[in-house]
Amino acid sequence: MLTFDFTNCCIPEAEFDALRPEVLRAHTVFQQWRKSGDAVFFDLPDLPGLTDGLHQKAKEIAERFDNLVVLGIGGSALGLRCLVQALLSPWHNLLDRKGRKGRPRLFVCDNIDPRTFALLLDHLDFSQTCFHIISKSGRTIETAAQFFIVLKYLQEKIGKSWRDHLVITTDAEGGELRPFVKKEGIASFSLPAKLGGRYSVLSAVGLFPAAVLGMPIDDLLKGARQMTERCAHAELDANAAYRLAAIHALLEKQGKKISVMMPYADGLSLFADWYVQLWAESLGKGGKGTTPVKSLGSTDQHSLLQLYMDGPNDKVTTFLRVEKFHDQKAMTTVRGVSENFSFLEGHDLGTILNVQQRATAQALAKANRPNLTVTLPELNARHMGQLLMVYQIATAFAGALAGSNPFDQPGVELSKKLTREMLTSS
Amino acid sequence: MLTFDFTNCCIPEAEFDALRPEVLRAHTVFQQWRKSGDAVFFDLPDLPGLTDGLHQKAKEIAERFDNLVVLGIGGSALGLRCLVQALLSPWHNLLDRKGRKGRPRLFVCDNIDPRTFALLLDHLDFSQTCFHIISKSGRTIETAAQFFIVLKYLQEKIGKSWRDHLVITTDAEGGELRPFVKKEGIASFSLPAKLGGRYSVLSAVGLFPAAVLGMPIDDLLKGARQMTERCAHAELDANAAYRLAAIHALLEKQGKKISVMMPYADGLSLFADWYVQLWAESLGKGGKGTTPVKSLGSTDQHSLLQLYMDGPNDKVTTFLRVEKFHDQKAMTTVRGVSENFSFLEGHDLGTILNVQQRATAQALAKANRPNLTVTLPELNARHMGQLLMVYQIATAFAGALAGSNPFDQPGVELSKKLTREMLTSS
């Protein structure tokens, strides 16, 4: 299991004790959200039918196609990108089919930059490409615009069998895409009612492409289930998710308005982005909410650490570390380059990276800057399931503690409305 | 030239007027920094010998090798990565040699994640690979550790001609690497004294690999020079860099402690990361400094915008936009999918993206949240030179205004010291 080190949080136990009535109240709210379906993410790992047909379809697509292109934006894309980065080779798309273990290359189009998209379409052999379209409502402007372009290309280049190149994940009944799926008989997966994009990684949104890429999604769900079991009760000492939420709430009162997520592993870099979108959209409302920030160790020790150590004391930093790295290369300090590196002798990169993480945590603590450390024993599907689940629970529970609704997003509507108006009138 | 729109800054002109004496004082400080060499970045575009031998060596490496691997960390890597993203195809490494216009693939190793590095080394054909090592002092732990591994591989796999696979960019005289370069006769470039990594993109650090990849570095320098000319005088109305610094200083007094950099173009996404490292390390000191945050439009409209619109009013957002995108694909809304997308009809992705940016800026302004917009007419080398230079000047000048030294980084030392101690004793 993941382990959590709260030693450097700089919060006296008495403050947690004082918070316990609030925790009990918020726990009741959270349980109501589970009943109403708002917090359906919590129960996804045990949802009947969650993976029905998914393995079979994934196998079929993986065997038939050389490229999987995912059209989706925001949380719908970041969860998958996070899994890919953690569990596949960082050089996956550069490898040949054998190096990719027989799996397709993956392209996630989570922005509508016209150049990126056009150059990708130029690069792809459409006869070898499957598109997975993700939009619960079917009303996402970006995904719709990309889908229209792709559909035209498919119909022109592939002809009658264009439908075989599509998989659409959308609402079970409502939305703009379901009628199209039914009419044309396109392969599709359904999303549970009330499941928002930012909480959707453990639904078909993340699971289907993950399965196509050969990731062990059952391990992922098993890890998530282990975490829900651990976080089912209102006990701050045993429930890591509630503890995380409580720490952030107490530190916010001390003026820590910024929450830094700093993994020391490339494979967790996009997890930090996923956390940032989840935390910001769930909790930033009604004038409240701390600002989540992504950093990456050890790279950002060479820049942002200056601000974190010596700037305003307005941050709490969460470190993520991987205890055991695989695939390492031995390092031998080479004589003749410099005599000043003898302290590196005999260490591998993983050891250096993890020592840097400990050193930075200590340095921050010495400067009275609160921080905590989450350790993954290894970077695998089970631990990723645990990690994704504990932060979804922590985020939703932080909403319950703050009296915010962590499942809505009223603040993004005005920009969408203005966009529609401007496009209509131009 | 770039254009700057400060309409939504929410600062009365009288506040700028009141700041003018401070601006004059800071301008004097900045000129002293130019004389002392601290602000050498400003004068790089006109530095005699800056590109001596660079084009020739770049041509030679590009013709001889299929892969260029850059070992460097922090600012030394981000400036280059930013240029690559802005000026090359996002799919560069996936293309064949012809698609890459005869240029090598590029790998920037700016972290010591052991898995990323090991899997890269497994993937590379060393006989076809050149390594560019960047460390001014030669004392950067990460770069040294990676270099030791690479050197051993090269000597084992390539034999006597291993030296031909190296280019080292380091201090002209001092540091750990210069004696090695001299002794072994390795190709190298020198860095001006006092040039810090975060201000080094327009030195050999960024220029040499950019030239190997075929980027027009003379245009880049021309753009930078155009910006230094525009920003040479202490006039807030004409000097965009000083104006940017002044806006941030005035808004900080209003409680805007977070500076969001939000490009609406994939090609500028890493520019935002580059800005973040530059701003944080230069200004986050002595208990002062705002926190820079990266966002990406339109993607983050689906998450972070919620916080920016409806969370605490503690941010200033800078939008970057590209006026004219090339390589677009036509979009036709396809009948039969949904009738609700007629407002997309006839628009291309670039238009939609830029309308979204304007809509978001307006939405923030309506919510009394200050923002400004920087527009690049096109995404090319000249405009990137302007953009990189204006933000280097703005950052250093913000230091002068705040009474901080924007060229040191005392806060990163303790973690380094603890790392050395832990590695020595373990």
Side-chain angles (χ1 to χ4, degrees):
Chain A
M1 287 289 281
L2 304 195
T3 55
F4 299 83
D5 181 349
F6 300 128
T7 317
N8 295 336
C9 276
C10 313
I11 303 173
E13 202 54 36
E15 289 199 32
F16 288 108
D17 290 339
L19 198 69
R20 277 172 217 273
E22 276 302 292
V23 168
L24 285 176
R25 185 197 53 77
H27 178 70
T28 308
V29 171
F30 191 83
Q31 297 312 312
Q32 283 162 355
W33 284 336
R34 282 180 65 191
K35 277 185 201 131
S36 66
D38 290 293
V40 60
F41 77 85
F42 189 99
D43 298 292
L44 277 181
D46 293 308
L47 199 72
L50 179 74
T51 58
D52 279 2
L54 199 148
H55 287 284
Q56 178 55 36
K57 187 72 191 169
K59 185 163 175 286
E60 188 188 314
I61 297 291
E63 283 170 3
R64 164 68 183 80
F65 293 101
D66 238 11
N67 306 303
L68 177 66
V69 176
V70 173
L71 306 185
I73 197 163
S76 300
L78 260 173
L80 169 65
R81 289 180 59 210
C82 161
L83 290 176
V84 167
Q85 194 194 48
L87 302 176
L88 295 189
S89 164
W91 317 108
H92 179 84
N93 276 4
L94 289 177
L95 303 175
D96 60 18
R97 184 112 191 158
K98 190 175 158 225
R100 299 194 310 260
K101 295 171 187 161
R103 303 293 171 164
R105 300 187 297 173
L106 174 72
F107 301 90
V108 181
C109 298
D110 61 349
N111 202 2
I112 52 162
D113 183 283
R115 183 167 158 261
T116 308
F117 198 59
L119 294 175
L120 176 62
L121 296 189
D122 285 346
H123 174 66
L124 293 174
D125 173 356
F126 269 64
S127 72
Q128 279 299 323
T129 303
C130 174
F131 294 86
H132 180 213
I133 322 297
I134 304 171
S135 177
K136 183 154 191 300
S137 68
R139 280 185 286 273
T140 317
I141 290 179
E142 294 90 340
T143 307
Q146 292 175 321
F147 181 42
F148 288 138
I149 294 175
V150 161
L151 203 51
K152 188 153 171 275
Y153 265 70
L154 277 176
Q155 291 175 346
E156 282 172 13
K157 295 195 173 191
I158 302 296
K160 284 187 182 168
S161 62
W162 61 268
R163 292 169 189 83
D164 302 342
H165 292 247
L166 291 176
V167 177
I168 296 182
T169 292
T170 188
D171 196 79
E173 293 302 325
E176 303 291 328
L177 287 173
R178 181 56 62 190
F180 175 73
V181 163
K182 285 184 179 168
K183 191 182 75 180
E184 302 289 351
I186 290 166
S188 87
F189 294 99
S190 295
L191 294 172
K194 291 195 177 184
L195 183 70
R198 59 190 184 271
Y199 294 98
S200 70
V201 58
L202 297 177
S203 73
V205 168
L207 295 179
F208 171 65
V212 174
L213 274 289
M215 291 180 235
I217 60 171
D218 294 322
D219 286 357
L220 192 66
L221 292 169
K222 186 178 170 191
R225 200 176 294 117
Q226 288 172 324
M227 194 51 77
T228 58
E229 282 163 10
R230 189 166 157 184
C231 298
H233 303 288
E235 287 158 25
L236 270 188
D237 305 318
N239 185 326
Y242 284 16
R243 189 83 173 186
L244 285 170
I247 286 168
H248 280 82
L250 292 170
L251 289 174
E252 190 180 354
K253 286 184 196 160
Q254 291 181 21
K256 313 306 181 204
K257 303 291 189 193
I258 295 171
S259 165
V260 177
M261 178 62 71
M262 189 168 185
Y264 273 68
D266 287 352
L268 294 169
S269 167
L270 284 166
F271 171 81
D273 290 280
W274 175 87
Y275 162 77
V276 162
Q277 60 88 31
L278 175 67
W279 190 265
E281 193 174 18
S282 300
L283 304 172
K285 47 197 70 168
K288 294 191 285 191
T290 56
T291 296
V293 171
K294 174 231 183 107
S295 278
L296 180 65
S298 67
T299 306
D300 289 343
Q301 291 191 196
H302 295 265
S303 55
L304 285 145
L305 182 58
Q306 169 62 40
L307 171 70
Y308 301 162
M309 278 292 292
D310 196 23
N313 192 346
D314 58 358
K315 298 173 184 70
V316 45
T317 301
T318 302
F319 294 106
L320 299 180
R321 56 185 279 142
V322 175
E323 200 54 44
K324 187 173 157 62
F325 285 99
H326 298 283
D327 309 312
Q328 302 223 35
K329 295 287 174 203
M331 180 180 51
T332 317
T333 58
V334 177
R335 310 298 164 187
V337 177
S338 163
E339 299 308 308
N340 289 329
F341 286 107
S342 56
F343 68 94
L344 290 179
E345 190 75 48
H347 298 301
D348 53 35
L349 295 187
T351 304
I352 299 173
L353 192 59
N354 278 333
V355 164
Q356 288 183 305
Q357 185 276 321
R358 272 203 296 142
T360 303
Q362 273 189 26
L364 284 173
K366 273 180 202 274
N368 289 313
R369 286 155 198 249
N371 62 88
L372 47 129
T373 300
V374 182
T375 300
L376 287 75
E378 297 177 53
L379 200 49
N380 61 28
R382 199 159 49 78
H383 294 133
M384 286 307 294
Q386 294 174 7
L387 184 64
L388 290 162
M389 186 52 86
V390 78
Y391 270 98
Q392 289 180 97
I393 303 172
T395 303
F397 191 72
L401 275 178
S404 297
N405 178 352
F407 305 111
D408 68 359
Q409 53 279 335
V412 308
E413 296 306 324
L414 179 55
S415 169
K416 282 191 203 172
K417 182 171 164 283
L418 293 173
T419 297
R420 271 165 205 263
E421 288 171 8
M422 287 181 196
L423 285 173
T424 304
S425 68
S426 69
Chain B
M1 289 286 283
L2 305 194
T3 56
F4 299 84
D5 181 348
F6 301 128
T7 318
N8 294 338
C9 276
C10 314
I11 303 174
E13 201 55 34
E15 288 200 31
F16 289 108
D17 290 340
L19 197 69
R20 276 172 217 273
E22 276 302 292
V23 168
L24 285 176
R25 185 196 55 75
H27 179 68
T28 308
V29 171
F30 190 82
Q31 297 311 312
Q32 284 163 353
W33 284 336
R34 283 181 64 190
K35 278 186 199 127
S36 66
D38 290 295
V40 60
F41 76 84
F42 189 99
D43 298 292
L44 278 181
D46 292 308
L47 199 73
L50 179 73
T51 58
D52 279 3
L54 199 148
H55 288 284
Q56 178 54 38
K57 187 72 192 171
K59 188 165 173 284
E60 190 188 313
I61 298 291
E63 283 170 4
R64 163 70 182 81
F65 294 101
D66 237 12
N67 306 303
L68 176 66
V69 176
V70 173
L71 306 184
I73 197 163
S76 299
L78 260 174
L80 171 65
R81 290 180 59 209
C82 159
L83 290 176
V84 167
Q85 196 194 45
L87 303 176
L88 295 187
S89 164
W91 316 108
H92 179 83
N93 276 3
L94 287 178
L95 304 175
D96 61 18
R97 184 112 190 156
K98 191 174 158 227
R100 299 194 309 261
K101 295 170 188 162
R103 304 292 171 166
R105 299 187 297 173
L106 174 73
F107 301 91
V108 181
C109 299
D110 61 349
N111 202 4
I112 51 163
D113 184 283
R115 182 166 157 262
T116 308
F117 198 58
L119 293 176
L120 176 63
L121 296 188
D122 285 346
H123 174 65
L124 292 174
D125 173 356
F126 270 63
S127 72
Q128 278 299 322
T129 303
C130 174
F131 293 87
H132 181 213
I133 322 296
I134 303 171
S135 177
K136 185 157 189 298
S137 67
R139 281 186 285 273
T140 316
I141 290 178
E142 293 90 341
T143 308
Q146 290 174 323
F147 182 43
F148 287 137
I149 294 175
V150 161
L151 204 51
K152 187 152 174 279
Y153 265 69
L154 276 176
Q155 291 175 348
E156 282 173 11
K157 295 195 173 191
I158 303 295
K160 283 187 181 168
S161 61
W162 61 268
R163 292 170 189 82
D164 302 342
H165 292 248
L166 291 175
V167 177
I168 296 183
T169 291
T170 189
D171 196 78
E173 293 302 326
E176 304 291 328
L177 286 173
R178 182 56 62 188
F180 176 74
V181 163
K182 284 184 179 166
K183 191 183 74 180
E184 302 289 351
I186 289 166
S188 87
F189 294 98
S190 295
L191 294 172
K194 292 196 176 182
L195 183 70
R198 60 191 183 269
Y199 293 98
S200 70
V201 57
L202 298 177
S203 73
V205 168
L207 294 180
F208 172 65
V212 173
L213 274 288
M215 291 180 234
I217 60 171
D218 295 320
D219 286 357
L220 193 66
L221 292 169
K222 187 179 171 191
R225 201 177 293 116
Q226 288 172 322
M227 194 51 78
T228 59
E229 283 163 10
R230 187 166 160 184
C231 298
H233 303 288
E235 287 157 23
L236 270 187
D237 305 318
N239 186 326
Y242 284 17
R243 189 84 174 187
L244 285 170
I247 286 168
H248 280 82
L250 292 171
L251 289 174
E252 189 181 354
K253 286 183 198 163
Q254 291 181 22
K256 312 306 180 205
K257 304 290 188 194
I258 295 171
S259 165
V260 177
M261 177 64 71
M262 188 166 186
Y264 273 68
D266 287 350
L268 293 170
S269 166
L270 285 165
F271 172 81
D273 290 280
W274 175 87
Y275 163 78
V276 162
Q277 60 88 31
L278 175 67
W279 191 266
E281 193 174 16
S282 300
L283 303 173
K285 48 197 69 170
K288 292 191 287 190
T290 56
T291 296
V293 171
K294 174 231 183 107
S295 278
L296 180 65
S298 67
T299 306
D300 289 344
Q301 290 190 196
H302 295 266
S303 56
L304 286 145
L305 182 58
Q306 169 62 37
L307 172 69
Y308 301 162
M309 278 291 293
D310 196 22
N313 192 346
D314 58 359
K315 298 174 184 70
V316 46
T317 300
T318 302
F319 295 106
L320 299 179
R321 56 186 277 140
V322 175
E323 199 53 45
K324 189 174 154 62
F325 285 99
H326 298 284
D327 310 311
Q328 302 222 35
K329 295 286 174 205
M331 181 179 51
T332 317
T333 56
V334 177
R335 311 298 165 187
V337 177
S338 164
E339 298 308 306
N340 289 329
F341 286 107
S342 56
F343 68 95
L344 290 178
E345 189 78 47
H347 298 300
D348 53 35
L349 295 187
T351 303
I352 299 172
L353 192 59
N354 278 333
V355 163
Q356 288 182 307
Q357 185 275 319
R358 274 202 295 143
T360 303
Q362 273 189 29
L364 284 173
K366 273 178 201 277
N368 289 313
R369 285 152 199 251
N371 62 87
L372 47 130
T373 300
V374 183
T375 300
L376 287 75
E378 297 177 53
L379 200 50
N380 61 28
R382 199 157 51 76
H383 295 134
M384 286 308 294
Q386 295 173 7
L387 184 65
L388 291 162
M389 184 53 86
V390 77
Y391 271 98
Q392 289 180 96
I393 303 171
T395 303
F397 190 73
L401 274 178
S404 298
N405 177 353
F407 305 110
D408 69 359
Q409 53 279 334
V412 308
E413 296 306 323
L414 179 56
S415 168
K416 284 190 202 173
K417 183 171 165 282
L418 293 173
T419 297
R420 270 165 206 263
E421 288 171 7
M422 288 180 194
L423 285 173
T424 304
S425 68
S426 69

